Amino acid sequence: MGLDAEALGSRIPGQLSGGQRQRVSLARAIVTRPRLLLSDEPVSALDASNRNLVLSLLDRLRRELGLAVVVISHDLGSLAGIADRVAVLYRGRLVEQGAISEVLDHPRHPYTALLTASAPSVRREHRLLPAQLRPAPDREPWPDDQGCVFAPRCRFAGPECREEPRPVAVTGTGRLHSVACHHADGWRDRTG
Ligand code: SF4
């Protein structure tokens, strides 16, 4: 884990840095050699250098131990370097999933596009501005419980969005990429 046992000595958790605590937690999680590691916001409380350290440690662990790692995170930029696949949830609904490079570079759901547009460290090609994705200020409010879960925040919501969309496979590089949006093929033309 890159921890110096001598230097840590008999320190209690409150005497460790945030990065050291995360690495101790990872050591405790993998000591029984699990096949699957679930990691919930593993780097959200860390500064940039510790974040990179812990992410590269997770990446090394999965390769060296053949460990499957599921990372739950609000920070798409952190995932970009280590994940193979990403599943994007909005209010508990799966709105898009696919290979991480495809989803981040060519998001097909307006919510994923808003996330990538708002994240400073995600790749910049084909990136839209958040203002191109937000509803016009004078739009009628959308009833919270009707149709598509993202409709109240979606610039492209139309009458058909009153029906909840089902995830549908979309064409990409050949690996499964699915999107739950009635306008997955057309909303980008309406970003102005
Ligand atoms: S289904 Fe409609 S409201 Fe939902 S994300 Fe797609 S365009 Fe927006």
Side-chain angles (χ1 to χ4, degrees), residues 95 108-111 139 142 147-158 160-165 179-184 187 190:
V95 298
R108 302 289 293 273
H109 192 281
Y111 177 56
R139 193 187 78 172
W142 188 282
C148 173
V149 67
F150 188 59
R153 292 178 61 195
C154 183
R155 183 188 187 93
F156 316 103
E160 51 294 308
C161 305
R162 293 180 198 284
E163 286 279 321
E164 186 174 356
V179 182
C181 173
H182 292 301
H183 297 294
W187 61 262
R190 293 161 51 201

